[in-house]
Amino acid sequence: MKCMKSNQLIAYMENRLSPLESIWLEEHLETCSECRRQLGLYMDTWDSFDAAMSEADVPPDFTEQILDKVTPYVPAAEPAAEDVKANTAFTKDWKKRSVAIVKKITITVASLAIAVSLGTFVSPTFADYVKSFFNNTEKVDQGMIDAVQQGFVHPLDLKTADQGITLEVKEFMADPVRIAVIAEAKGPDGQYIDPDDMRMYVNFVIKDKSGVPVLGPMGGGWTTSKDNHSLMVQQELTEAISSGIEIPDDLIAEIRWTKIGSTSGNWQIDIPIDMSQAKAATKTVMIDKQYTSPQGLTVGLKRAIFAPSVTLLSLDTRISPEVKERIEAAISKQTDSTGTGTLDSFVAHQLKSYQLSYELIDERGQVVAAWDDLFDPGLSIAKRSIVNGISEKEDGGTVTLWHSFSPLPSDKYGKLTFKLHSVYTSEWADFHAKLTPAQLIQKPASLEYNGNQLQFKKFVWKQDEAKLMIGDKEVSDRGGVLEVEAAFAKGVVNLEEWKVKDEKGMEYEAYLQKTSSRDENGLVTVRGALIIPQLDHQPEELTISYNVVQKEHQDVNWQIPIE
C-alpha cells in the first residue's frame, strides 16, 4: 500500500477525510511505523500551534476571582505533572494519541428522550461558568466557552445503561452552525471508560420534530475532544447551510452507539431541541464577491454567519483553466523525466493545490481574526481560528471551504472587512546532494538550490527511542537524524517530500522536524532535524533530496466589507 503523505495526515487530523477514508488511513497506520511516526510529529506540531493560536479573553487571575465568589464549590484537581507530560509526548500507543485530537465517535444513550431549550441569553452564574464541562474540557474552543457565558449551554443529568455500561450526558450546546454534547461512560465495575475506547460504530442524525432526517448520518462532519473521562462530540451543520436546507426551530438530535470498546449494545438518545432563540441570535450576511489572484486562483467569499458559538465564513476556490492546463503539463513533464511513467500521486496533488491566508479587520483597522492554511506555528498569521470541526468539499474543481473563528459580535468589533493576505502554491523541485555522514561533524555540508541555502551539520544514527537533542529539537525516533539549518529564498516557506538514499541505493522517506522564523525582510529561516525513521544502519553515504517547494505570494489586492 502506498504510504501516507503529509497533506493526507493533516487532512485526517483536521477531520477533512470522509469516515471511510479515515478508517482506510487508520488501517494503514496499524501496519506502517513510518506513517505513525510522522503522524506523531504532526500532532506535536498541532499541540504547539493550538497553544500559540489560543487567546485569553479574561485576565490571568479570572478563575481565582470567580472561585472567591462561588465557595464552597471546589473545582476538579489539576492534572499531575507526569500526566501532562504523558499527554504531550508521543508514545508508542499512537491510536490513543491520534484519536485524542481527531477521533471520530459520538455518544449514544438507550431509549431516552429529553426536552432541551437553548439560547436564553441569560448569563449563567459564576459557578455555572466554572463548573461547565464546555469551559473545562480539553480542546474545547473559545467559541464554546463564549456560548457558556451567553447561556447557550444547557446542563443535563441523564443516565442509561446497556450491557453493563452506563452512559451519562452532562451538557448540551446547539446553534445553527453546530451541535455538541459532553458525556461520560462507566463500566460494570463503576470505573470510568477511557473516551479513546468510545469510538466508531456511530450514527448522529438531525431530524425535524416529526422524525424526518434533516441532516445525517454524520452529515457535514464531526469531531471529538476529551478531558480525563469526559468526552465532547460536535457535529457541524454546514451541509444544511450549503444545501440551502432551512434548520427547523424544533429539532431532534438522534445519537446512537452500537459498540463501546469490545462491547456491542444499543445506546440511543433522542434530544428534542428548541433552536428558535439560538436562530434569533444568529445573523447571516450574504456577500457573493470574488477575486482572481495573479497566480490564477479565484477566491469567492459567499457568506458570513455570526452564531453564538462561532463566526463562520463560507468561501469557494478554484484555479483557472489556463493554470490547470499549465500544471498538468508540468506534471506530465516530470512524469516522463522519472523514467517510470508515473509521478507520486501525492506529489502531483500538492502541485495542483492552492491555499490561502486572510485577515478580518475591524472598524479601527485592527486585525481581530485571521485564517492561514500554512501549517507552521512559526510563520502562520492565524488568529482566533477554530481549526477543528468545519470541513471542506470539492465539486467539479471548485473547493468549498468553511472557516470558523471564535465569535466576533458586532457590538464588540463593529463592521468587519475581509482582506486577502497571501496565496500559497507548490512547485516541483529536483534537489539532491550527496553527503558523507562521518565527515559532517568536522565539516558541515553547505548546499544551495534555487536560492535555498541548506547546511547539514551533524548525523546521528539512533538505535533506540531514548530522547536526544539534535540542534534545538528533541528526537526520540529510531533511525538516522541529520541536524539542519536553512535560509530559504524569497517567497519560499517550506520544502517538502524529502527522500534519502544510502550507498546501496536503498531509498527512505524522511521528514523535517523544524522551527521556523522570519527576519525583518520576510525571509524564512529554519532550524531542525531531518529524520529518516527506517534507516537501520550507520551509512557510509547518503543522497538527500526534496521534490516540492511551497511558496507564499503576497502580491494580492482584495478586500471586501462584510456589511
Side-chain angles (χ1 to χ4, degrees):
M1 181 179 292
K2 188 66 179 176
C3 279
M4 303 299 104
K5 300 298 182 178
S6 56
N7 282 5
Q8 287 170 294
L9 294 174
I10 292 171
Y12 171 67
M13 293 176 63
E14 293 178 345
N15 197 44
R16 291 190 282 109
L17 300 181
S18 70
L20 183 60
E21 289 172 325
S22 296
I23 293 171
W24 178 84
L25 185 145
E26 289 167 359
E27 288 176 348
H28 171 72
L29 287 170
E30 289 180 352
T31 61
C32 182
S33 59
E34 179 183 347
C35 288
R36 293 199 297 270
R37 289 189 181 98
Q38 186 149 341
L39 180 62
L41 167 67
Y42 286 140
M43 287 186 290
D44 284 332
T45 306
W46 182 287
D47 291 341
S48 301
F49 182 87
D50 208 32
M53 293 302 109
S54 62
E55 290 193 353
D57 289 333
V58 295
D61 61 344
F62 182 60
T63 300
E64 287 76 12
Q65 294 178 26
I66 293 174
L67 293 177
D68 289 341
K69 300 178 184 294
V70 298
T71 52
Y73 170 72
V74 179
E78 292 293 322
E82 59 269 22
D83 295 333
V84 174
K85 183 176 181 181
N87 285 334
T88 56
F90 180 56
T91 69
K92 293 180 181 178
D93 193 352
W94 66 272
K95 278 190 176 181
K96 288 190 175 182
R97 184 80 196 288
S98 63
V99 297
I101 298 177
V102 293
K103 52 191 176 299
K104 300 181 172 50
I105 67 173
T106 191
I107 307 298
T108 57
V109 183
S111 304
L112 198 57
I114 9 132
V116 180
S117 178
L118 300 168
T120 62
F121 274 111
V122 177
S123 296
T125 65
F126 281 127
D128 289 335
Y129 179 83
V130 173
K131 292 186 289 186
S132 169
F133 284 79
F134 281 100
N135 186 46
N136 289 289
T137 302
E138 177 189 351
K139 300 295 184 182
V140 164
D141 57 67
Q142 184 61 45
M144 289 187 173
I145 295 175
D146 287 0
V148 174
Q149 296 172 335
Q150 296 181 59
F152 286 95
V153 170
H154 191 89
L156 303 172
D157 187 16
L158 304 167
K159 297 180 181 179
T160 192
D162 191 18
Q163 305 299 316
I165 294 177
T166 301
L167 287 169
E168 181 176 2
V169 178
K170 307 298 295 185
E171 287 184 287
F172 201 85
M173 184 214 77
D175 66 25
V177 172
R178 54 182 176 169
I179 295 174
V181 64
I182 289 182
E184 301 167 347
K186 291 182 179 179
D189 57 0
Q191 298 298 309
Y192 286 106
I193 294 175
D194 190 328
D196 289 338
D197 293 329
M198 302 158 59
R199 63 191 304 261
M200 312 302 288
Y201 306 105
V202 59
N203 275 294
F204 193 160
V205 183
I206 307 301
K207 300 181 177 182
D208 63 21
K209 63 181 180 181
S210 63
V212 177
V214 176
L215 188 67
M218 298 181 293
W222 53 292
T223 54
T224 62
S225 297
K226 73 166 188 174
D227 181 31
N228 297 324
H229 48 259
S230 301
L231 184 78
M232 185 276 290
V233 58
Q234 65 166 325
Q235 175 158 353
E236 63 193 64
L237 306 181
T238 51
E239 180 181 297
I241 298 169
S242 61
S243 302
I245 298 173
E246 177 67 24
I247 300 293
D249 288 350
D250 296 314
L251 291 176
I252 297 174
E254 178 194 281
I255 313 173
R256 184 167 61 90
W257 239 350
T258 58
K259 197 170 186 179
I260 299 175
S262 60
T263 303
S264 296
N266 183 35
W267 299 265
Q268 179 172 323
I269 183 168
D270 295 328
I271 309 176
I273 304 171
D274 179 2
M275 190 73 83
S276 58
Q277 294 188 54
K279 289 174 66 177
T282 300
K283 179 170 66 175
T284 299
V285 180
M286 301 304 298
I287 304 166
D288 288 326
K289 302 289 184 181
Q290 68 179 32
Y291 163 81
T292 300
S293 77
Q295 297 75 38
L297 178 69
T298 297
V299 182
L301 181 57
K302 299 178 65 176
R303 61 171 71 86
I305 301 174
F306 299 86
S309 74
V310 67
T311 292
L312 180 67
L313 264 60
S314 172
L315 302 95
D316 282 345
T317 65
R318 67 180 183 275
I319 58 175
S320 67
E322 296 79 13
V323 171
K324 183 177 181 180
E325 183 178 343
R326 187 170 70 243
I327 293 173
E328 294 285 0
I331 292 173
S332 177
K333 181 180 179 181
Q334 296 305 327
T335 297
D336 294 338
S337 68
T338 62
T340 62
T342 60
L343 184 66
D344 185 294
S345 61
F346 195 77
V347 171
H349 174 76
Q350 286 180 293
L351 298 178
K352 297 177 185 178
S353 297
Y354 280 43
Q355 298 172 303
L356 53 82
S357 64
Y358 60 83
E359 299 167 327
L360 297 176
I361 302 170
D362 66 12
E363 293 176 334
R364 297 171 296 174
Q366 302 295 313
V367 176
V368 296
W371 185 271
D372 200 333
D373 285 328
L374 189 64
F375 193 75
D376 190 326
L379 305 179
S380 174
I381 66 166
K383 183 177 184 179
R384 295 183 69 90
S385 56
I386 299 174
V387 297
N388 63 322
I390 305 299
S391 62
E392 65 180 58
K393 65 178 181 179
E394 184 172 358
D395 182 15
T398 297
V399 179
T400 298
L401 306 171
W402 295 100
H403 291 167
S404 53
F405 302 88
S406 300
L408 300 167
S410 59
D411 59 350
K412 182 175 181 180
Y413 297 103
K415 293 182 179 180
L416 299 176
T417 297
F418 173 100
K419 182 179 180 181
L420 187 62
H421 180 274
S422 302
V423 169
Y424 299 107
T425 63
S426 294
E427 298 179 4
W428 173 263
D430 193 21
F431 167 82
H432 55 275
K434 289 186 178 181
L435 305 175
T436 304
Q439 296 178 358
L440 292 179
I441 195 164
Q442 288 85 22
K443 186 180 180 181
S446 296
L447 308 167
E448 187 272 341
Y449 179 76
N450 288 346
N452 296 310
Q453 308 285 337
L454 295 97
Q455 187 177 65
F456 296 91
K457 303 176 68 174
K458 181 173 62 176
F459 173 84
V460 175
W461 177 43
K462 287 181 81 277
Q463 301 180 58
D464 55 38
E465 295 182 353
K467 294 180 179 179
L468 179 67
M469 291 301 297
I470 306 292
D472 63 347
K473 290 297 177 183
E474 187 176 72
V475 178
S476 58
D477 288 332
R478 298 186 185 200
V481 185
L482 282 160
E483 182 180 352
V484 182
E485 291 187 6
F488 293 163
K490 183 175 178 59
V492 174
V493 291
N494 198 16
L495 307 178
E496 299 179 295
E497 301 308 314
W498 291 85
K499 292 182 173 61
V500 176
K501 282 186 179 180
D502 63 17
E503 68 280 0
K504 298 178 182 178
M506 290 290 296
E507 187 172 78
Y508 308 88
E509 297 282 349
Y511 61 91
L512 186 61
Q513 184 175 337
K514 59 186 172 65
T515 301
S516 306
S517 60
R518 298 182 194 264
D519 65 15
E520 63 277 7
N521 298 315
L523 298 177
V524 174
T525 58
V526 302
R527 298 180 61 194
L530 184 67
I531 300 174
I532 317 161
Q534 294 180 340
L535 187 65
D536 60 0
H537 65 283
Q538 176 72 42
E540 297 177 8
E541 183 179 86
L542 292 176
T543 300
I544 312 296
S545 66
Y546 62 81
N547 291 137
V548 176
V549 174
Q550 188 176 26
K551 291 186 175 181
E552 179 183 36
H553 307 271
Q554 295 188 19
D555 57 339
V556 293
N557 183 21
W558 189 46
Q559 57 184 47
I560 293 294
I562 301 176
E563 297 293 347

